[in-house]
Amino acid sequence: MTVPDTHPQAQRNTGRKTLVIGLTGGIGSGKSTVAAEFSKLGVPVIDTDRLARELVAPGQPGLQEIVAHFGPRALGNHGELDRDYLRTRIFSDSSDKQTLEAILHPRIRQRVREWLATITSPYCIVVIPLLLETSQTDLVDRILVVDAPENEQLKRVAARDGLSHNAISGIMAAQADRKTRLSAADDIIANDADHDALVERIRELHLQFMDLTHEH
């Protein structure tokens, strides 16, 4: 998937005191690992995937709206969201995907803004896997891309989620392509070496971000 070829910096809000780093990357690139390492350094991390899970918990209006559109099959045996069923629906029908995004994304954006309003640290990380695809760059001040070769993405996701090669390829095709992500990045973490190298790069960026906030 290719997103519009416009650099997102012009769309960003620079009126915040806390520097907001938008962390993104393709499936299997290592976003969660990177976010966890920033958290170890004391950096606040807002994970939009976690917010999305909270918004579709049993009893939440978001889940009720999903069921109203997708039907009772969208629920599992214990009243929870059937993610496998929903994944199949949205990847086989683009209109279903758009509907799901219309239900969830405004709620996620609102939660992110609420969290950002409470943060007093020099900078924070907001993990948004579909940052570019969903035009949410206005939420952040800088874009940090976690990059990995596509064959590595395939291997990691297969080992982690047990999905087939075709299923993973379908997810990757629905995301921004690697070139588009890299061209939009202010900062890049190449996650193609060992863990020690990854941690060292994260520490370098931590110092860089602190310098940018004049708090180092």
Side-chain angles (χ1 to χ4, degrees):
M1 175 182 179
T2 302
V3 298
D5 186 21
T6 55
H7 200 285
Q9 276 187 321
Q11 305 169 23
R12 299 179 208 167
N13 180 0
T14 57
R16 290 179 289 259
K17 292 182 179 179
T18 297
L19 180 67
V20 182
I21 309 297
L23 175 62
T24 193
I27 186 171
S29 59
K31 297 181 295 296
S32 296
T33 300
V34 169
E37 291 298 331
F38 274 107
S39 184
K40 290 177 184 178
L41 295 172
V43 181
V45 174
I46 302 171
D47 186 338
T48 57
D49 276 350
R50 182 175 298 176
L51 293 181
R53 288 193 292 272
E54 293 173 358
L55 289 167
V56 297
Q60 290 295 315
L63 179 60
Q64 296 168 9
E65 194 170 343
I66 289 172
V67 174
H69 176 80
F70 291 94
R73 284 198 61 190
L75 290 178
N77 294 331
H78 303 289
E80 77 286 1
L81 183 67
D82 188 330
R83 297 179 185 280
D84 290 337
Y85 172 75
L86 203 60
R87 184 186 297 114
T88 300
R89 284 284 299 266
I90 66 175
F91 280 111
S92 61
D93 188 329
S94 61
S95 64
D96 280 340
K97 181 174 182 290
Q98 292 169 0
T99 297
L100 182 63
E101 291 175 349
I103 293 170
L104 290 180
H105 288 175
R107 290 179 166 91
I108 294 171
R109 287 176 63 89
Q110 180 59 31
R111 288 285 182 90
V112 169
R113 292 187 185 281
E114 290 170 358
W115 273 105
L116 289 176
T118 70
I119 292 174
T120 58
S121 300
Y123 82 93
C124 69
I125 300 288
V126 183
V127 186
I128 310 179
L130 299 179
L131 176 64
L132 302 176
E133 296 87 339
T134 55
S135 301
Q136 298 190 78
T137 54
D138 62 304
L139 290 171
V140 307
D141 301 309
R142 293 180 71 85
I143 295 175
L144 172 58
V145 170
V146 184
D147 181 55
E150 292 183 356
N151 63 323
E152 280 297 318
Q153 292 179 253
L154 286 164
K155 287 193 294 185
R156 291 171 185 171
V157 178
R160 182 188 70 193
D161 300 336
L163 298 176
S164 68
H165 183 282
N166 287 342
I168 301 168
S169 296
I171 294 171
M172 291 172 63
Q175 297 181 337
D177 59 76
R178 189 180 182 189
K179 181 179 179 181
T180 298
R181 279 196 300 269
L182 293 176
S183 66
D186 296 294
D187 306 284
I188 298 169
I189 294 177
N191 187 16
D192 56 1
D194 59 31
H195 188 71
D196 288 344
L198 179 68
V199 170
E200 180 60 27
R201 174 59 177 152
I202 290 168
R203 291 184 179 277
E204 290 175 358
L205 284 170
H206 175 62
L207 295 177
Q208 174 186 318
F209 297 150
M210 292 297 284
D211 282 338
L212 287 172
T213 65
H214 305 293
E215 292 288 338
H216 177 55

